[in-house]
Amino acid sequence: MTTETAIDTGTNELLCVIRDRVAIITLNRPEARNSLSDALTPALRAMIRSCGEDSNVGALLLTGSGQAFCAGGNVKGMGAHRDRKKLEMSFDDKVADLQERQRLLTGALVSVRKPTIAALPGPAVGAGLAIAMACDIRIAAQSAFVSTGYARVALSGDYGIAWLLTRLVGTSRARELMFTGDKVDAARCEAIGLVNRVVPDDRLQEEAFTLAKSLAEGPRFALRYMKENLDEALLFDFETARDHEAVRLIRLTTTDDHKEAVQAFIDKRKPVFTGS
């Protein structure tokens, strides 16, 4: 039986429901292609933190309403409509402010120890692309596309986009995509490893939720340790990463979930994990 609980995000620009242990977080500014705003962005940071820490949530699914995932920052706000308070900040204060906002958004998303999925119904551009790449898995609708976008507004990138992009598609392609800001359609995104799979537009949400639900029902400690192993694969030498894997695996052999998985295999049934 499906259960669903609506979460108050503090703004109608961000929606959140928890359905079958999946936190579905929806950017909800379709009239602006779900671009980030002073209301949406703080709410998104809060939901990432809250859902990441909630024991009733087994996976996070980020998506956008309408025909876009997220068009990135508010370009109009970079011009004559800039926030007066920010204009008056010193250079060092501006840097510190951006660093903190990055830490609490893509930084927090990368740090979530649960599976995270981005479902792209349409464009993911600039910071919106960084948010999608900060998730573990990306599923795109056939009509979706991505663009780094920064070159078009004479900026160099933020929210960790260069780091994330390089690790997904490699140095050469990352440089091409950053320098040109070209639109990359869903088919090419899949071919170069930028998204995991492409599905028909009308099946995007269903397929993304099905995957998220299956992961949310999985062995949560094993999935957490898998994320830590995979993260360390980018940071440590083989010997160190291999030794850390051994520690985690031995810890997991003592869990109830491991014992349940073994018994379910013997009984030829689906395991029921409790996170213990």
Side-chain angles (χ1 to χ4, degrees), residues 41-63:
T41 312
L44 180 57
R45 294 190 195 106
M47 283 300 102
I48 290 170
R49 181 184 68 252
S50 175
C51 294
E53 296 173 352
D54 189 344
S55 61
N56 294 314
V57 171
L60 278 63
L61 173 58
L62 273 65
T63 191

Side-chain angles (χ1 to χ4, degrees), residues 38-100:
D38 290 341
L40 189 158
T41 312
L44 180 57
R45 294 190 195 106
M47 283 300 102
I48 290 170
R49 181 184 68 252
S50 175
C51 294
E53 296 173 352
D54 189 344
S55 61
N56 294 314
V57 171
L60 278 63
L61 173 58
L62 273 65
T63 191
S65 60
Q67 304 301 310
F69 176 73
C70 176
N74 178 9
V75 176
K76 290 182 179 179
M78 300 175 188
H81 303 286
R82 285 181 177 177
D83 186 323
R84 184 60 54 185
K85 290 182 180 178
K86 290 185 178 180
L87 282 173
E88 295 172 353
M89 292 169 65
S90 69
F91 175 82
D92 288 344
D93 286 343
K94 288 177 182 177
V95 170
D97 177 64
L98 178 56
Q99 290 174 336
E100 179 71 356

